[in-house]
Amino acid sequence: MTAVPRRGRPRKPGDGESCAVAPVRLRRLDRRLVDGLREDLADLYTDSRATAPGDAYRRPGRQDFLNRVTADMGRPGFAMVIAESDVLMGCAFGFPVRGDGSWWLGLDGVMPRSVGHLTVSGRAFAFGDILIRPHPQDRRLARRMQERLLTDHQASLGATLVVGADHAALAALHSWGWLDVGELRRPLGAATFRALVFPAEERTAARLGDLVAMPGGGGPGGP
């Protein structure tokens, strides 16, 4: 969820306007269209997940990302939104969270009541990933894609899991409005995750504000 500059693969003939200032539009993709864009999406992942110098964490590779997209596409309610100008600028994808609470299995600590309520009521949406190519308004673009998926699914809360060692991804999510719920470990899994939520409505954000850690707040959700 971090990015480094690199020229993207053209999605259509350009008109001389740089991708930094070209209008960015959102487009919802069905599974067939996602299949047709697999290589473009993999390029976007490679660009946006480049390892910074001195970063000890090594992110999963290109094929691992494609395998994850394929797995998520098999989940009920899968959806993807892409952002494009003269190049593919970003994508976000995911699926509705099951109301049985299994998404939060392994969470260390007490789940905020509002998170549990929105999960049980079917108003939570799990983001498999959010990728952004370098852009002057990357924060605004990320929020547009996040809110588009939540609105399409009539969800009030986004949820995602990030490997705890992936500090760059955590920093990006915090800058895009995500709040940290706490540490989570899947049964039989080796990795430790940070569980984060993105409130789509002001009243939801207000209820969560006192219960989860704000970025840099030093609470239980600090990266």
Side-chain angles (χ1 to χ4, degrees):
M1 298 177 189
T2 55
V4 294
R6 173 182 157 183
R7 183 180 299 277
R9 179 180 300 179
R11 300 283 297 127
K12 66 176 186 177
D15 58 4
E17 185 177 24
S18 71
C19 64
V21 296
V24 178
R25 55 196 170 276
L26 303 186
R27 180 159 62 103
R28 175 83 174 264
L29 303 185
D30 58 23
R31 288 176 171 83
R32 178 182 61 83
L33 292 174
V34 173
D35 276 333
L37 281 178
R38 288 175 64 86
E39 292 306 312
D40 296 280
L41 293 170
D43 286 345
L44 176 65
Y45 173 80
T46 301
D47 288 350
S48 64
R49 290 300 181 86
T51 301
D55 189 348
Y57 178 70
R58 292 294 178 265
R59 295 164 184 81
R62 179 189 182 96
Q63 189 58 50
D64 292 314
F65 167 75
L66 289 175
N67 292 343
R68 184 155 51 85
V69 171
T70 298
D72 283 355
M73 285 173 64
R75 297 177 181 268
F78 170 84
M80 177 181 287
V81 167
I82 63 171
E84 55 187 355
S85 57
D86 295 331
V87 297
L88 181 63
M89 298 298 298
C91 79
F93 62 88
F95 47 88
V97 175
R98 292 173 55 181
D100 60 6
S102 57
W103 172 264
W104 304 107
L105 186 64
L107 181 67
D108 184 16
V110 179
M111 180 191 301
R113 182 176 301 176
S114 294
V115 173
H117 173 73
L118 292 172
T119 299
V120 171
S121 62
R123 296 170 60 196
F125 185 87
F127 283 77
D129 218 332
I130 307 165
L131 306 173
I132 303 289
R133 195 177 298 281
H135 191 272
Q137 298 183 8
D138 62 342
R139 179 177 180 179
R140 180 173 180 270
L141 182 55
R143 292 186 70 94
R144 284 178 62 196
M145 291 194 300
Q146 292 162 188
E147 290 169 356
R148 170 68 181 273
L149 283 178
L150 294 178
T151 298
D152 286 354
H153 286 80
Q154 299 182 330
S156 299
L157 188 76
T160 195
L161 301 178
V162 180
V163 175
D166 194 350
H167 300 298
L170 288 169
L173 285 167
H174 287 159
S175 73
W176 298 340
W178 289 76
L179 307 175
D180 202 316
V181 176
E183 187 174 276
L184 185 147
R185 183 184 293 273
R186 292 297 193 203
L188 304 180
T192 299
F193 298 93
R194 301 304 305 181
L196 295 95
V197 294
F198 178 79
E201 301 174 352
E202 290 186 6
R203 61 182 179 179
T204 302
R207 289 199 300 267
L208 290 172
D210 295 333
L211 299 174
V212 300
M214 297 296 289

